[in-house]
Amino acid sequence: MIIALCVVCMPGMLGAQKFDWQPSPGHKQVPIWPGKVPDAQPAKGPEFALSSGTTFLVAGKSATEIDNVTQPTMTVYSPKGINTGAAVIVFPGGGFSVLAIDLEGTEACDWLVSKGITCVLLKYRVPDSGPHDDAGNQRYPKAPMALEDAQRTMRLIRFHAAQYHVDPHKIGVLGFSAGGYLVADISTNFDKRVYPLLDEADKVNCRPDFAVALYPGHLRASHIGLQLTPKIPVSRQTPPTFLLQAEDDHVDNVNDSLVYYIALKNAGVPVEMHLFAQGGHAFGLRKTNSSITEWPQLVERWLRTIAILS
């Protein structure tokens, strides 16, 4: 099973104990939809979380996944000290099958708030809410559920910017693997609301002010050649973007970053890309012997370059 977390869903986890994931004390999950979730699909089972235990370790630590998300939520993490006014919505990876909620979610929020950036962790719908592998073929859902959740969250944060103490003009997105695809998705599909109008928040622009896509997947039109999928219509209005991937990534090919970089460059969008010979996939923010895991420092410098951080 090829998912962004790669081997978390191995048979050895089938005997692991399921539990209800909750954010750390002092933080609360907030439903992003006021009533019925748009384009709701029949649940494949109740939502649950699993720890990889010793089956899958990154930097010597296990990872936690969430399965069967049908009620998407956002959790806001606010800086305790200096507040820069910037905010980042984080999209965990998981191949649109599960969500790597700590490795590519809460740990990213811990880093962001330490830099004075408000972090919004989106627990978007899975499985099959975006492009996903099906017997070797890339399939798309009938309705773009993950994009619906992403657009709604961006609008909510921008509409309530004063409440969350953020600058409405400094709200970006950051995602890993499938979440990296979602970064590109909302960065290029922001001019049309993909769900019905619900309230005043839905009248707000959902274009990110900046975007960070880490080892993104699903961006090529096919496994052969260097052509961007038409589902990602890059334009001059696409926000400034940061891309990072390893050449030995055997889950999402480095060509996914390359095709997106080329399209951004040709459209005149400010883009910075970092490619590393080694690093693999699904490392999140955990430090390993690979130099690619020093990427947060690169992102911090880039955020200063584009005047998001002073």
Side-chain angles (χ1 to χ4, degrees), residues 51-75:
S51 172
S52 66
T54 58
T55 302
F56 175 76
L57 299 175
V58 178
K61 296 190 295 184
S62 61
T64 298
E65 68 175 55
I66 297 181
D67 299 56
N68 298 337
V69 178
T70 58
Q71 299 293 326
T73 67
M74 66 179 189
T75 303

Side-chain angles (χ1 to χ4, degrees), residues 144-158:
M145 293 174 284
L147 179 59
E148 291 174 349
D149 295 346
Q151 283 193 354
R152 173 68 178 175
T153 303
M154 177 60 74
R155 290 189 171 102
L156 286 173
I157 297 302
R158 186 162 279 143

Side-chain angles (χ1 to χ4, degrees), residues 61-276:
K61 296 190 295 184
S62 61
T64 298
E65 68 175 55
I66 297 181
D67 299 56
N68 298 337
V69 178
T70 58
Q71 299 293 326
T73 67
M74 66 179 189
T75 303
V76 178
Y77 297 76
S78 300
K80 292 183 172 62
I82 295 175
N83 187 341
T84 65
V88 172
I89 301 172
V90 171
F91 307 139
F96 295 108
S97 177
V98 301
L99 297 179
I101 199 68
D102 56 355
L103 177 66
E104 298 173 346
T106 58
E107 292 173 17
C109 287
D110 291 341
W111 160 61
L112 288 165
V113 297
S114 74
K115 303 302 176 182
I117 301 171
T118 297
C119 178
V120 182
L121 176 58
L122 176 59
K123 191 177 75 176
Y124 58 90
R125 281 173 280 178
V126 289
D128 305 339
S129 55
H132 54 280
D133 184 79
D134 182 6
N137 297 312
Q138 185 155 284
R139 304 292 186 190
Y140 291 87
K142 292 181 180 179
M145 293 174 284
L147 179 59
E148 291 174 349
D149 295 346
Q151 283 193 354
R152 173 68 178 175
T153 303
M154 177 60 74
R155 290 189 171 102
L156 286 173
I157 297 302
R158 186 162 279 143
F159 185 73
H160 297 289
Q163 174 186 337
Y164 294 121
H165 305 290
V166 302
D167 184 336
H169 304 295
K170 290 186 177 182
I171 305 175
V173 289
L174 181 150
F176 304 81
S177 195
Y181 174 89
L182 193 52
V183 163
D185 207 1
I186 192 173
S187 294
T188 56
N189 291 292
F190 54 82
D191 55 346
K192 180 181 179 182
R193 190 176 59 254
V194 293
Y195 58 88
L197 178 70
L198 298 175
D199 51 31
E200 289 300 308
D202 285 331
K203 297 178 181 179
V204 174
N205 182 10
C206 71
R207 175 188 177 273
D209 295 304
F210 57 94
V212 179
L214 305 159
Y215 44 91
H218 311 287
L219 290 172
R220 286 179 294 159
S222 70
H223 294 301
I224 302 174
L226 285 173
Q227 184 176 356
L228 183 68
T229 172
K231 299 284 187 180
I232 304 296
V234 172
S235 69
R236 185 67 184 87
Q237 287 69 48
T238 302
T241 300
F242 179 99
L243 296 167
L244 177 131
Q245 200 154 16
E247 293 183 18
D248 65 350
D249 187 332
H250 299 303
V251 176
D252 290 318
N253 193 284
V254 70
N255 288 340
D256 285 298
S257 284
L258 287 172
V259 295
Y260 193 41
Y261 172 82
I262 292 169
L264 292 167
K265 181 176 179 294
N266 289 343
V269 175
V271 55
E272 179 170 318
M273 180 170 65
H274 295 266
L275 301 181
F276 288 75

